[in-house]
Amino acid sequence: MKSRTPKVLHTLCGRTLLGHALAAAGELDPSRLVVVVGHGRELVGAEVAAVTPQALVVCQDQQLGTGHAVRMVIEAIGVVPGTVVVTYGDMPLLRGQTLRELVDDHHQAGNAVTVLTARGDFPGFGRIVRGSDGAFLRIVEERDASPQERAIDECNSGCYAFDGTLLADAIKRVTTDNDQQQEYLTDVVDILRGDGHQVGTMLAADAGEITGVNDRVQLAQARRELNDRVLDGWMRDGVTIIDRSSTWIDVTVTIGQDAEIGPQTQLQGATVVGEGAKIGPGCLLENTTVGDDAVVLHAVCRQAEIGPRATVGPYAYLRSGTSLAENAHVGAHVELKKASVGPGAKVPHLTYVGDATIGAGANIGAGTIFANYDGVAKNHTTVGQHAFVGSNTVLVAPVTIGDGAYTAAGSVITDEVPAGNLGVARGRQHNSDGWTARNRPGSRSADAAQRVRSDDAV
């Protein structure tokens, strides 16, 4: 990956590569879940603890092959009776349902091992060699394969279902007699077959599921494939996606029926979109809840709550801790942080609201600033129900505007405005007669003023 970040911690569609692998494995409801880590073990181990705390981490100090990795697990935890499934941390497209089908086929056939295979062009993957009758013979790694074997289009995914007891016995007999001098897990398949045990295969219905990620190009391809899968699922569940090519939705997002997602929209994290809501175009929502029938247009919303039938945007920024009640409105070029906007209240234009409570039905005029920071601490402002804050007002926190109170446009409010009062905090206007002629003689402004004065004199 050419990165400071371990490969399996690169992200797509709301999870790391490892997170997707753990989610798929978790769908089997395993009695034990073990993650083998090597490179970047501290970071990878922390991800495992955060995502699947019940999983056991086993360290592979030397990366000596897939068979060696499995041997490390058995040496660490002992023989695992029952079925052991082996999968990989860099295959984010692998579905839990496919692993379930693999296990079911394995049980029904009574195999010692069942290999998940796929047909297609998978450079670097081992090939499935079969006899003239189509029966499984062996797996040959690409490095060790003949030209004829490399031409085989059925490939080994690297995922298996094993009989745990037989696996523990066979893994001890794996050698490093191969091109890479590593312990191949594929050799366990040959050992079990040589011992007379039954070996089977299951062909993946979707060959793309076994695709691994080894560089940024493959990561981008997997991201697109997984996103398309997510979008298809939501559209089939009654969500309208206007432009799938520019819409990105994490696997952790929830969307209600009849919602509409516009172009150039990203829904990330634990975002929840209610029924009938319209999001986009041009939105980024991260860990945000949107109520039924709300509308969000050209907005960035992070860790915010948007109530039913509320409207946001265009070009609004809702930061963490912001909550809009039902029918509230936040308009163009408005930023809110740790702000609560009551039912039906409006913050229409060019305003910053920080650390504030705005009551039901209140109106905040254009250009208002909630001056919440005094250089040391953040302070709170309260605007009462049906209050009216005039345009270009500065509310210097901590301060309260009472229910039904008004502030005059252009005021700097530092003290409480009681309920029903008008707060005025600005200098009285004074016009200096003839100022332009005296101070800008010969200018265009002076000439224009003189023409008006001459006309008035006539």
Side-chain angles (χ1 to χ4, degrees), residues 240-382:
T240 296
I241 308 291
I242 301 297
D243 178 20
R244 64 182 302 149
S245 67
S246 65
T247 301
W248 296 87
I249 300 177
D250 284 354
V251 296
T252 48
V253 168
T254 301
I255 309 176
Q257 288 185 345
D258 290 320
E260 181 179 295
I261 311 301
Q264 298 179 335
T265 292
Q266 299 180 55
L267 305 180
Q268 299 179 344
T271 292
V272 176
V273 177
E275 294 186 2
K278 293 185 178 181
I279 311 298
C283 287
L284 168 61
L285 272 60
E286 176 185 292
N287 299 323
T288 291
T289 299
V290 180
D292 294 348
D293 301 308
V295 177
V296 184
L297 173 65
H298 287 294
V300 175
C301 307
R302 289 191 164 96
Q303 299 175 345
E305 295 183 9
I306 301 169
R309 299 174 301 283
T311 56
V312 177
Y315 313 116
Y317 183 17
L318 273 57
R319 295 166 57 186
S320 62
T322 294
S323 174
L324 309 185
E326 59 187 18
N327 297 308
H329 171 64
V330 169
H333 303 289
V334 174
E335 178 179 350
L336 299 95
K337 188 269 297 183
K338 289 186 179 178
S340 174
V341 181
K346 299 178 180 180
V347 189
H349 329 280
L350 303 164
T351 293
Y352 171 71
V353 182
D355 297 278
T357 300
I358 299 174
N363 187 90
I364 309 300
T368 296
I369 296 174
F370 286 63
N372 57 324
Y373 185 49
D374 63 8
V376 177
K378 299 292 181 70
N379 299 294
H380 195 82
T381 296
T382 299

